[in-house]
Amino acid sequence: MQRALELAAQGAELGEVPVGAVLVMDGEIVGEGFNQPISACDPSAHAEVVALRAAAAKRKNYRLPDSTLYVTIEPCTMCFGTLIHARVARLVYGAAEPRAGVVASQLQLPQQVFFNHKIQVEGGVLEEQAGALVKEFFQQRR
């Protein structure tokens, strides 16, 4: 999670909302990323998606079973769906996202029975640091 926080800070330096993500398989980082929809002109370039794309390219497989994604902020609907399709085994996130987070804050998607894959979830890891990055970012922009 510490690496994800570092990546989030990199994104903030570029004017992106500070979210960072790291995908780990067999104890090795295989993909990482930070939010970059503005700089990449890509609405899907959220930190989680960037990390999953990097990992899939490295592994030469769109399925990433037995992997863990560490992300600083609770994922949105798009990102959670991407985790399902990639068959990520475990999600660890920092701070909740009360408005758009769909893991615990809003839709509780991991608990839904209609998905063909289940993801183990752990939230609140380095929550204060992750939340502070986002809070400071938006305070500076106002």
Side-chain angles (χ1 to χ4, degrees):
M1 185 63 83
Q2 192 60 48
R3 177 64 182 149
L5 287 166
E6 293 168 5
L7 290 163
Q10 285 181 18
E13 291 174 12
L14 297 173
E16 301 281 1
V17 175
V19 179
V22 175
L23 190 83
V24 175
M25 294 180 82
D26 300 321
E28 173 192 356
I29 293 176
V30 293
E32 60 182 32
F34 54 83
N35 267 9
Q36 44 194 291
I38 298 166
S39 56
C41 297
D42 179 354
S44 68
H46 290 196
E48 300 94 324
V49 174
V50 172
L52 289 170
R53 286 176 179 160
K58 182 174 184 173
R59 300 291 266 199
K60 297 185 180 359
N61 192 342
Y62 74 109
R63 300 282 197 213
L64 301 164
D66 302 318
S67 63
T68 298
L69 182 81
Y70 296 87
V71 62
T72 57
I73 301 295
E74 179 183 4
C76 71
T77 308
M78 175 187 68
C79 292
F80 187 80
T82 306
L83 295 173
I84 292 286
H85 287 291
R87 302 298 191 264
V88 170
R90 184 169 172 246
L91 165 66
V92 179
Y93 68 90
E97 212 303 9
R99 291 179 14 180
V102 298
V103 174
S105 296
Q106 292 298 329
L107 301 175
Q108 295 84 39
L109 289 182
Q111 299 169 26
Q112 301 304 316
V113 298
F114 50 79
F115 288 118
N116 61 349
H117 175 70
K118 294 292 180 194
I119 299 174
Q120 294 178 341
V121 176
E122 180 181 353
V125 175
L126 298 180
E127 180 176 12
E128 288 182 25
Q129 295 94 318
L133 275 174
V134 173
K135 184 177 180 180
E136 291 168 13
F137 175 81
F138 284 111
Q139 283 176 342
Q140 290 175 359
R141 292 182 64 101
R142 292 185 181 130

